[in-house]
Amino acid sequence: MKGSQHYQWAITPLSPIHIGCGQVYEPTNYVVDSNCLHEFNSSTIANVTSSQDREELLRIVSKRGSTEMIPAVQRFFMNRKTKIIPLSVQKVPLSIAVADLYRVRAGKVAADQGADLKIFNQLAIDRTAFLQPHRAPYLPGSSIKGAIRTALLHQINRGAAAQTEEIADKKNGGLHKLQGRLLNYSREGRQKLECDPLRQLRIGDANPTGSEMPARRVYMATNRPKAPKLQREQGSSQRAPAASPDQYLECILPQTRGFFSEIEVQDVQAALGSDSRRWADKLPSRHFSMKEIAQACNTFYRPLLEAEIREMQQQEMLDTHWVAEAQDFLQKTKTLMDSGGAFIVRVGRHSGAESMTLPGMRHILIKKGRENPPDIKENATTWWLGAEFEKAQQKGLLPFGWIFVEVREWTSRDQEWGVAPVAFSWTPPKAEPDSKETSTITSAEVVWAQVRLKYNKANGAITAQKENDSATVVRPGSDRILEGLPKDLQQKLSNNQCFAKFTVTVQDRSILSVKPE
């Protein structure tokens, strides 16, 4: 089309990303082994089960009114996982927290609230958007376009307050009137969507690079207050907020240029030329170039990312390795972003209210429990973060939703990118080494002196913290280390009342041995 420019984007996820698709991994359609979820098709079970097995399963599912049916189905598949796993259609790595919860809860009833009312540990895991039939995750173009729209609205509005009639437009949250004014598609007292300038931006879904499955991991989402610890302690007389509900999210992991997308930026007025005057009342009045889009996104999202890292680091919440990698990446790509050749946006669940609303007109609903009316504030009071080890985890957490987009003009689908990427090399910790892996490249062992240990009762993990670094060992290695300590230290460490210091041998963020000092 005349008046159109075509581009290709190379997308690097910078943190875990979950874009919901309305589907879940049901615990009756997966089993867990070696800290991986193995999804299977129930129609294939007949191929690996005996006639007695099938009769047993039929008896279980026939008891539709039984409160034990779902746990019984879970136990049935768990007990036959060695036969089921070879038939699985895919496997997805689990964080240590989710894998441990499955081991503890699957096939069991969580609570008994009477003879006929029970709560089941269904352990359903929300799936991220995926492609059929091979189940690879992707980034929907609509999600990225929505994030870009927010940045462009901010570029136009520049922190101004909403107008009275926009605040009163409660039916649509004020969005139609507000956007119609800012993007100039409010005409003759109504919203003429055909005049929306963002109709000229077409973003294709971002599909995985190559044939390999993009890196994924299932995290437990946990809610953390933004108020600094001292401030929370001073306000401790106030009622504590209710615990956040359990959320298990399949996420795309950070990976350099993991996805590619094709984009068309149209300029309808330029395409029509002199004829555009005839259709002025039906055409967008403005056009956003790719450079304007990139600059608007960087102006809006980059300060949010930098502020979020800074504020979370003040409370020592984040994974220190991820922080170091993210800060180094932002520094190395600064020139490219300043030139409009790349930009940052935030997409998906738990992106944060500030990333989805405009400064100057934010009205964020702060819920305070069923007994108290909600507050309306300019900023959210909590962060949602991905936890690796447990829901109560305080350190080593990860933010959701950040992506980095590189831009180039499109010539053909076979063209090489040409410029080497800035690598984002963060990887999640391993719960247990896989015996099948025989990598000969390992980092050297290091010895940490004068460090204290923390024990996690939920999953048995032992963590050592040294300045801005940490190392962990989980079961069965943590059990062996605990058994090797003197009895009095075992008991104190198990109860998290151990103030002794240890010499710890570490390799690849894993604790190899512990010796009391």
Side-chain angles (χ1 to χ4, degrees):
M1 172 182 174
K2 183 181 177 182
S4 293
Q5 290 181 298
H6 296 264
Y7 297 88
Q8 187 179 52
W9 287 350
I11 298 177
T12 296
L14 301 178
S15 69
I17 297 168
H18 173 87
I19 299 176
C21 63
Q23 297 188 39
V24 298
Y25 293 106
E26 294 285 359
T28 50
N29 286 102
Y30 72 82
V31 293
V32 170
D33 185 65
S34 298
N35 284 12
C36 285
L37 172 157
H38 297 264
E39 182 191 13
F40 62 88
N41 189 329
S42 57
S43 64
T44 64
I45 296 302
N47 298 330
V48 294
T49 53
S50 65
S51 58
Q52 290 180 329
D53 288 336
R54 294 192 289 274
E55 289 174 4
E56 179 183 347
L57 182 59
L58 182 60
R59 285 196 300 271
I60 293 171
V61 298
S62 296
K63 298 178 181 179
R64 295 184 180 274
S66 172
T67 56
E68 291 288 348
M69 186 189 74
I70 295 176
V73 172
Q74 293 175 4
R75 289 193 297 271
F76 176 89
F77 292 129
M78 288 168 59
N79 293 335
R80 293 159 179 82
K81 69 179 182 180
T82 55
K83 296 180 180 179
I84 293 173
I85 287 174
L87 297 179
S88 62
V89 293
Q90 68 165 333
K91 75 173 182 177
V92 183
L94 304 176
S95 64
I96 295 168
V98 177
D100 282 343
L101 279 172
Y102 180 87
R103 283 191 283 268
V104 171
R105 294 183 177 181
K108 300 177 183 177
V109 177
D112 192 339
Q113 297 184 345
D116 299 319
L117 180 61
K118 295 190 177 184
I119 301 172
F120 295 100
N121 288 309
Q122 295 192 25
L123 293 171
I125 295 171
D126 289 350
R127 300 186 69 159
T128 196
F130 65 98
L131 300 165
Q132 294 285 12
H134 48 77
R135 292 174 163 78
Y138 75 102
L139 301 172
S142 57
S143 294
I144 302 174
K145 186 173 181 178
I148 290 173
R149 189 180 190 90
T150 301
L152 290 171
L153 288 168
H154 172 63
Q155 181 189 56
I156 299 168
N157 190 60
R158 296 294 183 183
Q163 296 181 357
T164 303
E165 63 271 17
E166 294 164 353
I167 297 174
D169 185 19
K170 294 182 180 179
K171 181 178 179 181
N172 299 305
L175 291 178
H176 283 330
K177 289 186 176 180
L178 169 66
Q179 294 189 50
R181 172 173 62 86
L182 294 178
L183 296 174
N184 197 29
Y185 62 79
S186 180
R187 310 276 180 88
E188 302 169 358
R190 66 186 184 91
Q191 311 306 315
K192 300 185 71 172
L193 297 182
E194 65 271 24
C195 298
D196 183 348
L198 270 296
R199 291 185 62 222
Q200 302 171 111
L201 175 62
R202 298 184 177 184
I203 302 176
D205 294 336
N207 294 323
T209 306
S211 59
E212 293 187 5
M213 182 70 74
R216 293 168 294 166
R217 194 171 186 84
V218 176
Y219 281 101
M220 178 182 289
T222 186
N223 198 243
R224 291 288 172 268
K226 287 187 176 183
K229 182 178 180 182
L230 179 61
Q231 182 179 336
R232 296 199 307 271
E233 290 174 348
Q234 290 173 344
S236 59
S237 60
Q238 299 178 1
R239 182 174 179 177
S244 59
D246 288 351
Q247 294 184 24
Y248 314 113
L249 307 178
E250 179 190 24
C251 297
I252 297 169
L253 286 181
Q255 48 204 289
T256 306
R257 287 184 181 170
F259 299 84
F260 284 87
S261 178
E262 294 178 6
I263 293 81
E264 180 183 6
V265 180
Q266 298 177 345
D267 186 345
V268 178
Q269 288 195 13
L272 291 175
S274 59
D275 288 340
S276 64
R277 289 192 293 270
R278 294 175 53 197
W279 308 99
D281 62 331
K282 296 182 180 180
L283 297 178
S285 61
R286 67 174 302 172
H287 155 76
F288 295 106
S289 69
M290 180 58 71
K291 187 172 183 179
E292 286 179 306
I293 291 168
Q295 290 174 338
C297 289
N298 286 326
T299 298
F300 183 70
Y301 288 105
R302 179 167 179 167
L304 287 175
L305 173 57
E306 292 172 340
E308 188 169 275
I309 291 175
R310 182 174 61 253
E311 292 168 12
M312 291 180 182
Q313 274 299 88
Q314 288 173 355
Q315 299 193 55
E316 300 179 340
M317 288 183 176
L318 294 178
D319 181 300
T320 54
H321 301 276
W322 181 86
V323 170
E325 186 67 24
Q327 291 176 333
D328 183 61
F329 186 89
L330 291 174
Q331 182 61 37
K332 289 179 178 178
T333 57
K334 182 178 185 302
T335 302
L336 184 61
M337 285 191 280
D338 289 345
S339 68
F343 60 92
I344 290 174
V345 292
R346 198 175 198 184
V347 297
R349 192 183 300 186
H350 298 321
S351 290
E354 288 86 352
S355 298
M356 298 184 290
T357 55
L358 302 184
M361 53 180 68
R362 288 181 177 134
H363 293 83
I364 299 172
L365 188 69
I366 309 298
K367 296 181 180 180
K368 301 168 62 178
R370 294 181 180 179
E371 299 177 6
N372 301 305
D375 284 340
I376 303 295
K377 293 189 176 182
E378 175 71 15
N379 297 102
T381 58
T382 62
W383 289 300
W384 279 96
L385 299 158
E388 173 66 37
F389 299 108
E390 60 172 334
K391 186 176 181 179
Q393 184 177 331
Q394 298 297 322
K395 299 178 184 291
L397 299 165
L398 295 168
F400 289 104
W402 293 105
I403 65 174
F404 176 79
V405 182
E406 296 173 81
V407 180
R408 69 170 179 184
E409 290 191 20
W410 186 92
T411 56
S412 72
R413 293 184 178 179
D414 298 326
Q415 73 186 104
E416 296 293 332
W417 194 266
V419 179
V422 176
F424 197 93
S425 58
W426 180 88
T427 55
K430 278 192 174 183
E432 297 176 2
D434 191 336
S435 60
K436 295 180 181 179
E437 293 182 1
T438 57
S439 174
T440 59
I441 302 175
T442 58
S443 63
E445 295 180 9
V446 295
V447 176
W448 294 354
Q450 296 280 309
V451 296
R452 288 196 172 95
L453 301 178
K454 182 179 178 181
Y455 183 78
N456 186 321
K457 291 184 178 181
N459 60 18
I462 297 174
T463 302
Q465 188 75 33
K466 179 179 174 63
E467 297 174 353
N468 292 324
D469 208 352
S470 63
T472 304
V473 61
V474 297
R475 288 176 175 143
S478 58
D479 289 341
R480 290 194 296 268
I481 286 177
L482 193 63
E483 292 168 2
L485 296 175
K487 294 291 185 182
D488 61 326
L489 290 181
Q490 287 186 35
Q491 185 175 0
K492 290 179 180 178
L493 186 59
S494 298
N495 295 322
N496 271 323
Q497 297 176 345
C498 183
F499 301 99
K501 293 186 177 180
F502 299 81
T503 297
V504 180
T505 303
V506 175
Q507 185 179 47
D508 292 330
R509 288 189 289 182
S510 294
I511 297 174
L512 302 181
S513 64
V514 169
K515 182 180 179 182
E517 294 188 351

